[in-house]
């Protein structure tokens, strides 16, 4: 029962961030999806589906990796430096502090740049004009795109502190925003540009709020349990 609750919590958190990311993804990554459709007009739906399948696989694998990194951060200091279970930071979940600090950096960058810049994806163009298998590989490679929203998701995957929870979080995140991306582009309607602009203004504050939340959670974990 406890395991099921943790899975559900990771899925809900990932889906919530996916909902938040939709305006950004339409504005920043919409051109990628449009390019896929334009280069494969005779089978655009299939091409877009395979491209997004690659994105789902890539994001989920990244979630497993970052979740495992969060697990290492939690266990590593206590296991290698101190007596396991005795050191107070063992119970503080250091993986909560890491994404909190990372969120502050992302928020600071977004404040300085006055929004989010579209990621450079020219290096991915070679995947779009290839076969359908190459399109799927291109979707996996979108995991490497420099993107503030994606970095925020990776930070939260680290904060899950467990490899499988990180994977579940990123799977829920990418499936949520991919569903609406594919639906919107298939219907030929994208989010209005004004919503993208509003999200750019709100994004630093969102990251700042998430960072504060993680730091507060970390501080609470430092409080020793009542005897």
């Amino acid at each position: 029962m406890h395991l099921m609750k943790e899975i559900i919590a990771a899925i809900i958190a990932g889906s919530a961030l996916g909902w938040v990311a939709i305006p950004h993804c339409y504005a920043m990554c919409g051109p990628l999806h449009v390019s896929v459709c334009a280069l494969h007009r005779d089978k655009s739906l299939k091409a877009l589906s395979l491209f997004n399948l690659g994105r789902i696989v890539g994001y989920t694998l990244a979630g497993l990796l970052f979740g495992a990194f969060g697990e290492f951060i939690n266990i590593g200091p206590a296991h290698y430096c101190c007596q396991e279970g005795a050191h107070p930071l063992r119970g503080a979940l250091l993986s909560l502090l890491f994404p909190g600090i990372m969120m502050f950096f992302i928020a600071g960058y977004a404040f300085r740049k006055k929004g989010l810049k579209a990621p450079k994806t020219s290096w991915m163009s070679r995947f779009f004009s290839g076969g359908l298998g190459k399109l799927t590989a291109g979707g996996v490679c979108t995991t490497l795109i420099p993107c503030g929203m994606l970095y925020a998701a990776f930070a939260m995957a680290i904060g899950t502190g467990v490899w499988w929870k990180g994977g579940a979080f990123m799977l829920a995140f990418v499936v949520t925003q991919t569903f609406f991306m594919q639906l919107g582009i298939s219907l030929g309607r994208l989010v209005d540009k004004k919503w993208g602009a509003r999200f750019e203004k709100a994004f630093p504050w969102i990251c700042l709020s998430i960072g504060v939340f993680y730091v507060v959670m970390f501080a609470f974990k430092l409080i020793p349990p009542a005897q």
Side-chain angles (χ1 to χ4, degrees):
M1 181 63 69
H2 179 68
L3 178 63
M4 183 60 64
K5 287 182 178 179
E6 288 187 330
I7 294 174
I8 292 173
I11 291 174
I12 291 175
S15 298
L17 188 64
W19 273 97
V20 171
I22 289 172
H24 165 75
C25 292
Y26 271 127
M28 300 297 183
C29 300
L32 286 178
H33 291 70
V34 172
S35 297
V36 169
C37 294
L39 292 171
H40 300 271
R41 293 181 184 278
D42 56 334
K43 44 191 173 184
S44 60
L45 181 59
K46 183 177 181 180
L48 190 62
S49 298
L50 287 174
F51 176 71
N52 279 325
L53 175 62
R55 291 178 65 250
I56 291 171
V57 170
Y59 282 36
T60 303
L61 290 176
L64 294 172
L65 178 64
F66 284 109
F69 179 58
E71 192 167 3
F72 171 77
I73 294 174
N74 282 342
I75 297 174
H79 183 72
Y80 295 105
C81 305
C82 322
Q83 291 184 355
E84 197 166 346
H87 196 269
L89 289 183
R90 162 67 176 165
L93 290 177
L94 287 173
S95 65
L96 291 175
L97 187 61
F98 186 91
I101 293 173
M102 188 172 177
M103 286 294 183
F104 289 143
F105 276 110
I106 295 173
Y109 175 84
F111 275 123
R112 290 198 307 271
K113 299 296 182 179
K114 297 182 179 179
L116 293 173
K117 289 187 176 181
K120 295 180 180 179
T121 56
S122 56
W123 60 275
M124 290 188 61
S125 58
R126 72 190 72 160
F127 291 101
F128 299 156
S129 56
L132 297 181
K134 208 170 183 180
L135 264 177
T136 307
V140 174
C141 288
T142 58
T143 311
L144 305 175
I145 289 178
C147 170
M149 190 72 243
L150 190 55
Y151 291 161
F154 289 159
M156 293 180 71
I158 294 172
T160 62
V162 183
W163 64 271
W164 57 265
K165 286 170 68 175
F169 174 87
M170 287 302 299
L171 176 62
F173 168 75
V174 68
V175 167
T176 300
Q177 48 110 328
T178 296
F179 172 78
F180 289 99
M181 284 287 294
Q182 178 134 346
L183 179 64
I185 290 177
S186 299
L187 298 176
R189 296 179 63 86
L190 298 178
V191 171
D192 193 276
K193 289 184 178 179
K194 66 180 181 180
W195 289 106
R198 288 174 180 173
F199 179 83
E200 285 190 26
K201 292 180 179 179
F203 178 76
W205 296 101
I206 293 173
C207 286
L208 192 62
S209 300
I210 294 174
V212 170
F213 172 77
Y214 275 115
V215 171
V216 169
M217 288 292 293
F218 173 80
F220 274 121
K221 290 291 182 179
L222 287 175
I223 301 174
Q227 300 296 327

